[in-house]
């Protein structure tokens, strides 16, 4: 009767090893998923910021063409003042965004959400 526990241990040893390997595989997949999710979130914020820079650059170009078409108009007119204000806001946004993308920092998107951009290593 003393040999019966030994036989039972060997009987389930393969099953126990299989379950342990399966659980370690699941744990590794879970860790990899968390890592890729954080990487994806960080890169999504960076992509959103670069899209905002591109949109602001298009707005600057539009405002410059608008100013060119308004040549000769009084500079204190509401139209010119509105265009100049938009031009100032967009150039400021581009400058701040490019600085945050290059050096890392906190940025706020057009919806008001804030993100921390990590410094890019080139």
């Amino acid at each position: 009767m003393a040999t019966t526990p030994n036989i039972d241990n060997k009987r389930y040893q393969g099953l126990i090893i299989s379950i342990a390997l399966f659980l370690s595989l699941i744990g590794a997949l879970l860790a990899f998923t968390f890592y890729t999710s954080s990487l994806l979130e960080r890169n999504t914020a960076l992509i959103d910021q670069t899209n905002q820079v591109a949109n602001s650059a298009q707005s600057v170009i539009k405002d410059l063409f608008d100013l060119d078409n308004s040549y000769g108009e009084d500079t204190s007119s509401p139209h010119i003042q509105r265009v100049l204000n938009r031009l100032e806001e967009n150039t400021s946004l581009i400058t701040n965004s490019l600085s945050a993308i290059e050096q890392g920092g906190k940025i706020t998107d057009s919806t008001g959400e804030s993100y921390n951009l990590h410094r890019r290593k080139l």
Side-chain angles (χ1 to χ4, degrees), residues 39 42-43 46 100-104 117-122:
L39 189 63
R42 204 170 45 219
N43 288 336
L46 183 63
I101 289 170
E102 181 183 2
Q103 299 170 358
L117 294 179
H118 299 283
R119 184 175 180 167
R120 305 307 297 170
K121 295 175 186 163
L122 299 176

Side-chain angles (χ1 to χ4, degrees), residues 59-69 83 87:
S59 294
V60 165
I61 292 169
K62 179 189 145 311
D63 288 339
L64 290 174
F65 278 123
D66 195 9
L67 284 175
D68 187 45
N69 288 336
V83 171
L87 193 59

Side-chain angles (χ1 to χ4, degrees), residues 99-113:
S99 175
I101 289 170
E102 181 183 2
Q103 299 170 358
K106 190 172 186 175
I107 52 107
T108 304
D109 65 5
S110 58
T111 62
E113 282 193 56

Side-chain angles (χ1 to χ4, degrees), residues 61-100:
I61 292 169
K62 179 189 145 311
D63 288 339
L64 290 174
F65 278 123
D66 195 9
L67 284 175
D68 187 45
N69 288 336
S70 300
Y71 181 77
E73 190 176 328
D74 184 19
T75 57
S76 60
S77 72
H79 171 258
I80 296 293
Q81 289 301 312
R82 192 171 42 250
V83 171
L84 289 174
N85 286 338
R86 269 196 327 248
L87 193 59
E88 180 66 33
E89 288 173 9
N90 285 324
T91 54
S92 171
L93 184 99
I94 290 171
T95 303
N96 294 338
S97 296
L98 289 177
S99 175

Side-chain angles (χ1 to χ4, degrees), residues 9-23:
N9 285 342
K10 287 185 179 184
R11 177 189 232 178
Y12 297 111
Q13 186 177 9
L15 181 62
I16 291 170
I17 290 173
S18 297
I19 290 173
L21 287 174
F22 177 74
L23 290 176

